[in-house]
Amino acid sequence: MSEISMEEASEMYNKIIAGIAEGKRLRRKAKGYKRRTKAGNLLLDIQWAETLDMKMLDALQTPFEDDYKQSFLDEFTVINLNLENVVAAYCDVVEDVFPCNNLWTIHTDESIARLIETIEKGTQLVPPILNITNAEVNIVDGKHRVALCRYLGLQTIPFLVKNDQLALAQRYV
């Protein structure tokens, strides 16, 4: 087992404390968002990125290797798809995974609060990433974005689809 310096230990401790503080802040925000949700006042204007850059890929939950990022940008296209068609193809029991009557039952308060906060700041969201084969649809990244859009009752949203899967994606337009 390798030893760490006091400086490294202090840095790790500070990161842990900062993470705890951020979690508390997001839980407080979530309480306010839940009140707005219950009152029907959660009105959001989602801005979707039409073109992507390296910085946007860094912000995704799915980690990308640096040498893959440029090929990702070249190999994927943004396409508008019917949200209900996509989620029905993704899972058997849609309401268990993406309930449209209660956003807060499946997903963590902190994750949803962070997403809503990002939208309210006017930050452009990266469309969810799909992998489509003849047999299935997989939401590779963006399940919280899909859940929120479904909760908001959006019919069509943009998705990122590999160029060689665009013909298959037409099933979900």
Side-chain angles (χ1 to χ4, degrees):
M1 181 185 253
S2 65
E3 293 184 26
I4 62 171
S5 69
M6 283 300 282
E7 185 177 314
E8 291 170 320
S10 177
E11 187 177 317
M12 286 191 324
Y13 174 79
N14 289 335
K15 284 182 181 179
I16 291 169
I17 296 302
I20 291 169
E22 176 68 359
K24 286 180 181 179
R25 185 189 72 76
L26 287 170
R27 284 189 292 281
R28 281 193 303 274
K29 293 283 278 190
K31 285 181 183 180
Y33 293 141
K34 284 180 180 182
R35 282 193 295 275
R36 287 174 50 195
T37 301
K38 192 176 275 189
N41 295 332
L42 187 64
L43 306 173
L44 300 171
D45 181 22
I46 300 174
Q47 303 296 315
W48 295 102
E50 294 178 19
T51 58
L52 301 178
D53 58 32
M54 299 287 198
K55 186 177 176 185
M56 289 177 168
L57 292 181
D58 288 338
L60 296 176
Q61 295 297 315
T62 302
F64 292 100
E65 298 296 326
D66 286 341
D67 58 345
Y68 178 67
K69 287 179 188 175
Q70 187 57 51
S71 64
F72 178 90
L73 295 173
D74 295 338
E75 294 175 13
F76 280 76
T77 299
V78 176
I79 181 172
N80 289 319
L81 299 175
N82 180 284
L83 185 56
E84 290 302 312
N85 292 344
V86 170
V87 296
Y90 173 71
C91 54
D92 294 331
V93 186
V94 174
E95 285 303 314
D96 287 351
V97 181
F98 301 110
C100 60
N101 62 346
N102 190 345
L103 177 63
W104 305 95
T105 56
I106 303 294
H107 307 281
T108 66
D109 290 358
E110 293 89 349
S111 296
I112 297 298
R114 184 178 297 112
L115 176 57
I116 293 171
E117 183 178 59
T118 300
I119 293 166
E120 287 185 333
K121 287 179 182 175
T123 303
Q124 287 188 335
L125 298 183
V126 174
I129 301 170
L130 293 183
N131 183 45
I132 304 172
T133 66
N134 280 324
E136 65 183 15
V137 170
N138 186 20
I139 301 172
V140 176
D141 187 271
K143 292 174 187 74
H144 292 106
R145 284 165 272 163
V146 168
L148 179 61
C149 289
R150 188 159 191 274
Y151 176 79
L152 294 172
L154 301 181
Q155 300 293 312
T156 303
I157 68 168
F159 287 90
L160 280 167
V161 176
K162 281 186 93 169
N163 294 334
D164 62 0
Q165 298 172 0
L166 287 172
L168 294 171
Q170 291 302 314
R171 301 178 196 165
Y172 309 105
V173 170

